[in-house]
Amino acid sequence: MSIDEGTEKLIKVIALKNAIEHGGKAQLDAVISKLMGSRPELRAKIKQIVADMSALVREVNSMTLEAQRALMADLAPEQGSKEKEKEKERHDASQPHLPPLEGAVGGQVVTRFPPEPNGYPHIGHAKAAIIDEEYARMYSGRLVLRFDDTNPLKERAEYYDAIREGLEWLGVKPDLEKNTSDDISLLHSYGRKLIEAGGAYVCTCSTDRIHDLRGKGLPCECRSESADILERTDKIFGGSYRQNEAIIRFKGDMSDPNTAMRDPTLFRIIEGNHPLLGDKVTLWPTYDFAAPIEDSHDGVTHAMRTKEYELRNELYFAILDRLQLRKPRLLEFSRLEFDGLPVSKRKITPLVQEGILSGWDDPRLPTLAALRRRGFVPQAIRRFVLSLGLTLADTKPPFETLEAFNRKIIDPLCMRLYFVPDPVEVKVLNVTPAKAVLKNHPVLDLGSRTVGVYDSVYISGKDAEGLKAGDVLRLMELYNIRISSTADLKSGSKSDPDSSESAYSPEKHEPREQKTASAPSVIVAEYAGNEVVQSMPKVQWVAKGDEVPFKVLVPKELYVGEEYNKNSLEVIQGFAESFISTLKRGTEIQLVRFGFCSIDSSNSAILTHR
Ligand SMILES: [Zn+2]
């Protein structure tokens, strides 16, 4: 190590604090910036110590959150208790939103989050997982993560991982992880038991006929044919039927006004390759059959699910009744979805497959991977979900509410940088070359950067518009200028009207030709002192010579009504300070007078929100 013990301890404490605040993972960037803020003399040595810092951050990140908290309490007891207070605050603040659970006994509550590994987790999953976890914690109970994997045609190994990764990012920590497919033998034996008890039967009718009779409320012959029931049962469990030749149906009531009770399917044959079990199993339980048995078997006391399952609650309890199994309580909440940001795979998958979206983390999507890439922090999602509580109303909350939670958290942490869209050059006469020291944050000590300014800067096309000779404005943190003559801005500085790209990839797409930068239009101004005057317009700028072409992707609604929005991704081109290209992917910054952005590549960022 090229650092002394004291510095090492300080780095550890900073890394631990950062990790605890970010679900267990510290960001090297943030740790460096914090260290430079509190020990400015280390700036000169940054190159020598960065490897050690990186190793320490890795070490911290390899620990569990609990271990991090414990070490933090050990190294910096005062910080540790602050963390505890914060944690307490988080829970206190969350409680008013979640009503008490009926029948909950402290220490005995078990909730479960049962995602199907058939896609990438989205904001709707986040809501369910967070509510399940909050309730488990509220009553010092347990949370079970159960992959509901009983359809080999839809499930893939990568989706289990994507869900795990999403939960880890959200800071949701299950006490137990399992798969419904682990219990396939158990589910088969309950299926057989139910048939033997007269609660279910094997139906060999065609799909069309089943559908037709269900609509008419009439039973088929299979229901009453008792003669070969045992033969049929042996055949279906023995694997003698092929796909679509037979199903197992619940013996409900074919004339029940609740159509969910009209002999629903409990098992069907699917000849596919299951991500965990391969082709060993072909008789797969439906969600309707697996959910109540798994919930009961896993000791779940409170099972929460979205409201669209309401009609199937009766079936859930009927199955448990007939099998004489313990009944969990069922609770409902509304689905979470945003206007214009569909979570439906029917709407998203084709766009990903056709390459219209850059992937499942395209910033226009409501997937957790996309929200993360776009710059949302997990704490904001948690606070947002808890603010919604357990509402049953199907109103879609405005996306702006989530943005407001996020802004509140990231605003005090983000470095401020300058970016000028549609840049226009301003040549300043009568000025001596200067070195501007720009603060990385107006209030907090996040360090500063030094930019050499000779005599020309770029300002944004919008700020340049309408300027006339005699106007005085302040270049932020630099000096004031008085306009001598304006350029013909009409010809060069207008933004490209065709600036929306339907698909992009930050790696492949080079920034477009900077028409404006090479435009001959130059505004001429003269130095007008350095006094800060409240009423003077203040604009951000980029020094000529320090500029890098930079683009910001602005995600918009993906769908307008039922139509894919061709203008769902606006690309804004401009110049940024060269410093921006040193920032790592995923760094959250605020582009002054523009918005909060997440760095996506060395020459692009994604607008998180204004
Ligand atoms: Zn039948």
Side-chain angles (χ1 to χ4, degrees):
M1 289 251 167
S2 55
I3 46 178
D4 60 65
E5 212 174 302
T7 310
E8 184 185 333
K9 185 179 163 188
L10 178 63
I11 294 170
K12 265 195 185 166
V13 169
I14 293 172
L16 285 166
K17 186 165 187 293
N18 189 257
I20 291 164
E21 283 168 3
H22 296 88
K25 294 282 174 247
Q27 296 291 322
L28 182 60
D29 285 359
V31 177
I32 292 177
S33 124
K34 190 81 194 169
L35 180 72
M36 297 302 134
S38 56
R39 298 275 301 276
E41 75 278 7
L42 290 173
R43 274 168 213 276
K45 285 174 64 183
I46 179 81
K47 283 218 172 79
Q48 290 101 288
I49 65 172
V50 76
D52 288 337
M53 291 189 69
S54 171
L56 288 169
V57 168
R58 266 201 309 276
E59 185 188 321
V60 164
N61 286 352
S62 70
M63 301 164 69
T64 63
L65 195 56
E66 283 67 35
Q68 290 170 347
R69 288 211 178 94
L71 183 60
M72 180 73 148
D74 199 29
L75 291 178
E78 179 206 287
Q79 288 280 4
S81 65
K82 263 193 221 159
E83 281 313 311
K84 261 184 216 147
E85 265 167 43
K86 262 195 205 163
E87 180 78 359
K88 195 163 167 281
E89 213 172 82
R90 182 175 77 100
H91 282 278
D92 288 348
S94 74
Q95 286 207 2
H97 302 295
L98 293 182
L101 277 181
E102 209 179 304
V105 179
Q108 288 173 32
V109 168
V110 179
T111 60
R112 93 286 189 264
F113 173 56
E116 183 178 4
N118 65 349
Y120 279 77
H122 51 66
I123 188 75
H125 292 103
K127 178 175 177 182
I130 288 168
I131 289 178
D132 288 327
E133 192 200 35
E134 287 284 335
Y135 270 133
R137 302 289 164 257
M138 194 188 284
Y139 291 99
S140 311
R142 293 191 307 130
L143 168 68
V144 177
L145 163 62
R146 185 176 75 227
F147 287 104
D148 188 36
D149 55 349
T150 61
N151 186 347
L153 298 181
K154 289 186 177 170
E155 292 138 14
R156 301 216 316 241
E158 70 169 294
Y159 298 141
Y160 292 76
D161 290 339
I163 291 167
R164 278 187 203 106
E165 210 175 294
L167 291 181
E168 197 183 319
W169 177 66
L170 282 176
V172 170
K173 289 180 182 54
D175 299 288
L176 172 75
E177 182 190 313
K178 62 168 290 192
N179 310 299
T180 300
S181 65
D182 299 343
D183 293 332
I184 193 72
S185 310
L186 179 85
L187 291 160
H188 279 180
S189 75
Y190 275 120
R192 198 184 264 274
K193 208 172 157 190
L194 193 58
I195 296 178
E196 285 165 3
Y201 59 97
V202 177
C203 170
T204 52
C205 297
S206 71
T207 315
D208 286 347
R209 183 149 195 269
I210 293 170
H211 182 77
D212 186 45
L213 289 178
R214 204 170 259 156
K216 290 178 180 152
L218 296 171
C220 68
E221 297 74 28
C222 318
R223 192 183 214 264
S224 51
E225 265 174 38
S226 52
D228 65 344
I229 184 86
L230 283 178
E231 190 195 325
R232 283 177 168 216
T233 306
D234 284 343
K235 229 177 136 183
I236 201 163
F237 283 103
S240 305
Y241 286 113
R242 302 297 307 271
Q243 193 162 307
N244 298 323
E245 282 180 358
I247 56 173
I248 297 175
R249 298 174 70 178
F250 181 75
K251 205 175 262 181
D253 178 353
M254 287 305 285
S255 58
D256 200 309
N258 178 3
T259 51
M261 293 306 287
R262 294 186 182 179
D263 293 14
T265 308
L266 302 183
F267 283 89
R268 69 276 197 235
I269 295 161
I270 302 171
E271 293 169 349
N273 210 11
H274 189 272
L276 303 179
L277 298 184
D279 57 6
K280 276 194 297 203
V281 174
T282 54
L283 183 64
W284 288 100
T286 56
Y287 171 82
D288 282 333
F289 187 69
I293 293 177
E294 287 287 285
D295 285 350
S296 185
H297 189 249
D298 293 342
V300 172
T301 57
H302 296 77
M304 280 158 267
R305 54 187 194 178
T306 51
K307 205 167 65 107
E308 70 259 32
Y309 290 103
E310 206 170 18
L311 287 178
R312 287 144 87 179
N313 290 355
E314 192 181 347
L315 176 61
Y316 181 99
F317 291 124
I319 290 171
L320 293 175
D321 255 337
R322 297 225 185 139
L323 288 169
Q324 295 180 311
L325 291 172
R326 182 192 61 86
K327 288 182 208 155
R329 287 170 193 260
L330 276 182
L331 287 97
E332 281 131 26
F333 56 82
S334 61
R335 269 168 76 100
L336 172 55
E337 202 174 341
F338 296 111
D339 250 337
L341 277 171
V343 297
S344 129
K345 275 184 274 296
R346 178 178 60 80
K347 286 183 172 174
I348 300 176
T349 311
L351 298 178
V352 173
Q353 281 167 352
E354 288 161 31
I356 292 170
L357 297 178
S358 66
W360 287 98
D361 65 350
D362 188 287
R364 288 165 282 181
L365 290 175
T367 58
L368 299 184
L371 291 169
R372 178 182 191 174
R373 179 173 167 200
R374 187 169 163 176
F376 283 89
V377 293
Q379 300 93 315
I381 294 177
R382 188 178 287 263
R383 284 182 201 170
F384 169 66
V385 162
L386 293 174
S387 78
L388 300 173
L390 273 192
T391 51
L392 284 173
D394 256 336
T395 50
K396 292 182 181 170
F399 193 69
E400 289 72 28
T401 312
L402 174 60
E403 292 182 347
F405 278 104
N406 200 61
R407 192 178 298 113
K408 205 172 160 194
I409 296 171
I410 65 174
D411 181 51
L413 305 168
C414 284
M415 184 182 275
R416 267 58 171 169
L417 287 171
Y418 291 156
F419 167 68
V420 289
D422 309 320
V424 172
E425 186 179 337
V426 179
K427 189 171 170 60
V428 187
L429 304 177
N430 314 327
V431 76
T432 42
K435 279 205 187 314
V437 178
L438 307 175
K439 282 165 77 177
N440 290 338
H441 195 280
V443 192
L444 295 178
D445 183 9
L446 294 183
S448 61
R449 57 206 188 276
T450 305
V451 177
V453 188
Y454 183 59
D455 63 353
S456 288
V457 297
Y458 296 99
I459 62 172
S460 83
K462 209 172 157 195
D463 287 330
E465 230 174 58
L467 283 180
K468 50 187 193 304
D471 284 351
V472 180
L473 60 150
R474 178 166 186 82
L475 300 173
M476 297 172 91
E477 295 184 274
L478 188 61
Y479 43 62
N480 308 329
I481 55 172
R482 181 177 291 105
I483 306 300
S484 312
S485 70
T486 56
D488 175 16
L489 295 174
K490 286 181 191 78
S491 59
S493 69
K494 285 282 180 206
S495 61
D496 186 356
D498 183 31
S499 61
S500 297
E501 290 174 23
S502 58
Y504 75 93
S505 152
E507 290 78 28
K508 283 180 223 149
H509 285 244
E510 285 304 308
R512 287 186 184 191
E513 211 38 47
Q514 285 296 328
K515 292 176 197 162
T516 51
S518 56
S521 49
V522 174
I523 292 175
V524 180
E526 58 182 7
Y527 177 76
N530 203 7
E531 192 195 345
V532 181
V533 180
Q534 275 303 327
S535 59
M536 202 182 285
K538 297 169 186 69
V539 304
Q540 81 279 20
W541 51 275
V542 172
K544 189 176 182 179
D546 184 45
E547 82 280 11
V548 287
F550 199 77
K551 66 178 174 185
V552 180
L553 311 173
V554 182
K556 306 256 170 92
E557 289 189 339
L558 185 62
Y559 269 79
V560 175
E562 285 299 298
E563 290 285 312
Y564 162 65
N565 175 13
K566 286 196 178 66
N567 300 315
S568 53
L569 191 69
E570 191 188 348
V571 180
I572 296 178
Q573 307 269 5
F575 284 156
E577 305 172 45
S578 65
F579 180 79
I580 209 165
S581 32
T582 66
L583 298 175
K584 287 204 191 88
R585 189 161 193 245
T587 307
E588 189 69 17
I589 53 168
Q590 188 185 18
L591 296 177
V592 175
R593 298 180 67 229
F594 184 87
F596 291 93
C597 296
S598 180
I599 297 288
D600 203 45
S601 76
S602 63
N603 59 28
S604 69
I606 298 167
L607 180 74
T608 311
H609 41 67
R610 300 285 176 184

